[in-house]
Amino acid sequence: MSYIHQLTEDEVYYICSVIPHKDIIRYFTKNPKEFAKIRPGFRANAISKHDVVNLLFNNRNRRFISLFIDKHIKNWLSQIKDQINRYISEGDNKEEAFLRTLPYSFFFKNVKLYFKLLEEKYSEEYISLLSVAVTSLRDMSKKQELSDNNIKELEIELEKLKADIISKDVELIKCRDELSSTRIAHVESINDQLSVIAELQATNSFELRALLALIFPIIFLNICKIENEQITGVYLVNLIIFIGGYNTEVIFGVLNKLVDMAKKAVNIPDKDAGIGLRSNEHEKNL
């Protein structure tokens, strides 16, 4: 039975538009000679969906194409019939079976075309109401499908977040252990350094006390004047040297002061002052 010749151009185009693209490409690929007649110089698997629909529609009267379209219509009607009968056998009435089947068929956008091909008489009002119901159920099904997909995507994202959290926890524990080990090592290092410093301090303290015990009598005898086992004064020069810490600048500075004081005491003029006096007298003579 040929279905294509019963259909208007719009109905044929609808059928061509809902045939799966992969089915068309497979059919053209299996029949390369016939395909070359309608699209020479092209590869079947390189044709887009839009072009392949137009290719079917424009060549619908060729036997190669009409057989392909009729075969799909026949298969679809057979599959719908089997599904409806199964629902009826489960206890649904015919309307319920239609509503459970047609929203998921290739005729969900054109229920009127389905009943035309079915060759069963139904009123226009019945078909219109059924079409509205099928469209609504299809939309609801799509929304539910999107919702289910969203839930699945959210579940996948949630699992990824859980995995990330576990990974971060592992990294945090690792960093905490490393930090703890570093702190312990640092504290141990500081304790070692403190122990060394304490030992050095103890050693230096002992050496310092020993040194003082050794040199103090010598310093005392060199600074203090002792007569008849009594301290009668100090040696000024020795005291200055001791206070200056044997610094030559300090020692020579003190000695120069003493020399200046002695010169003034005996009225010996400064070398610089003499030069100045001679210059003044020379000016007077001039």
Side-chain angles (χ1 to χ4, degrees), residues 117-132:
L117 294 168
L118 193 62
E119 296 183 342
E120 292 185 8
K121 298 298 181 180
Y122 290 91
S123 67
E124 289 291 331
E125 183 181 2
Y126 178 86
I127 294 173
S128 295
L129 290 173
L130 191 61
S131 297
V132 172

Side-chain angles (χ1 to χ4, degrees), residues 42-275:
F42 285 84
R43 291 182 293 109
N45 56 10
I47 303 176
S48 66
K49 181 174 176 59
H50 179 267
D51 289 342
V52 86
V53 170
N54 289 331
L55 194 62
L56 285 180
F57 179 74
N58 294 333
N59 293 277
R60 62 189 179 278
N61 293 322
R62 287 176 176 267
R63 181 174 174 77
F64 170 62
I65 299 299
S66 62
L67 288 175
F68 176 73
I69 295 173
D70 279 337
K71 180 181 179 181
H72 274 77
I73 294 173
K74 182 179 179 181
N75 289 340
W76 293 345
L77 293 175
S78 176
Q79 292 167 4
I80 292 171
K81 181 180 179 180
D82 291 343
Q83 189 68 29
I84 288 173
N85 289 336
R86 186 170 72 83
Y87 285 138
I88 291 173
S89 67
E90 292 175 357
D92 289 347
N93 58 39
K94 201 164 189 177
E95 285 71 28
E96 290 172 339
F98 280 146
L99 292 174
R100 293 181 67 182
T101 304
L102 292 179
Y104 311 103
S105 72
F106 289 100
F107 296 100
F108 74 93
K109 288 183 179 180
N110 200 334
V111 175
K112 185 178 180 179
L113 177 58
Y114 165 72
F115 283 106
K116 180 179 179 177
L117 294 168
L118 193 62
E119 296 183 342
E120 292 185 8
K121 298 298 181 180
Y122 290 91
S123 67
E124 289 291 331
E125 183 181 2
Y126 178 86
I127 294 173
S128 295
L129 290 173
L130 191 61
S131 297
V132 172
V134 167
T135 301
S136 298
L137 289 172
R138 175 76 180 191
D139 290 343
M140 290 175 61
S141 175
K142 281 293 182 183
K143 289 179 180 178
Q144 182 63 42
E145 184 178 348
L146 289 173
S147 178
D148 292 341
N149 290 337
N150 289 337
I151 291 173
K152 289 180 180 178
E153 289 178 0
L154 289 173
E155 289 175 347
I156 292 172
E157 289 297 325
L158 182 60
E159 291 300 322
K160 288 182 179 178
L161 288 174
K162 288 180 179 179
D164 288 341
I165 291 172
I166 293 173
S167 177
K168 295 298 182 185
D169 285 343
V170 171
E171 291 180 4
L172 181 60
I173 293 172
K174 183 179 179 181
C175 290
R176 187 172 58 194
D177 292 341
E178 290 177 354
L179 181 60
S180 178
S181 300
T182 303
R183 284 179 175 175
I184 292 172
H186 186 59
V187 170
E188 290 177 350
S189 176
I190 291 174
N191 288 335
D192 292 341
Q193 293 175 13
L194 290 174
S195 298
V196 172
I197 291 171
E199 291 176 2
L200 289 174
Q201 287 178 338
T203 303
N204 291 340
S205 177
F206 173 77
E207 292 177 351
L208 180 61
R209 288 197 300 270
L211 182 60
L212 289 175
L214 178 64
I215 67 173
F216 183 77
I218 299 171
I219 295 171
F220 179 78
L221 293 174
N222 280 277
I223 292 176
C224 300
K225 291 181 180 180
I226 301 174
E227 294 179 359
N228 298 325
E229 298 182 356
Q230 291 183 356
I231 298 173
T232 59
V234 295
Y235 295 106
L236 185 59
V237 175
N238 292 347
L239 180 61
I240 291 169
I241 292 172
F242 177 73
I243 293 172
Y246 295 92
N247 187 307
T248 55
E249 291 182 1
V250 175
I251 294 170
F252 286 127
V254 173
L255 292 176
N256 286 333
K257 286 289 185 183
L258 292 176
V259 171
D260 290 341
M261 290 171 64
K263 286 180 179 180
K264 289 178 180 180
V266 297
N267 294 321
I268 298 174
D270 262 347
K271 184 178 180 181
D272 292 337
I275 293 172

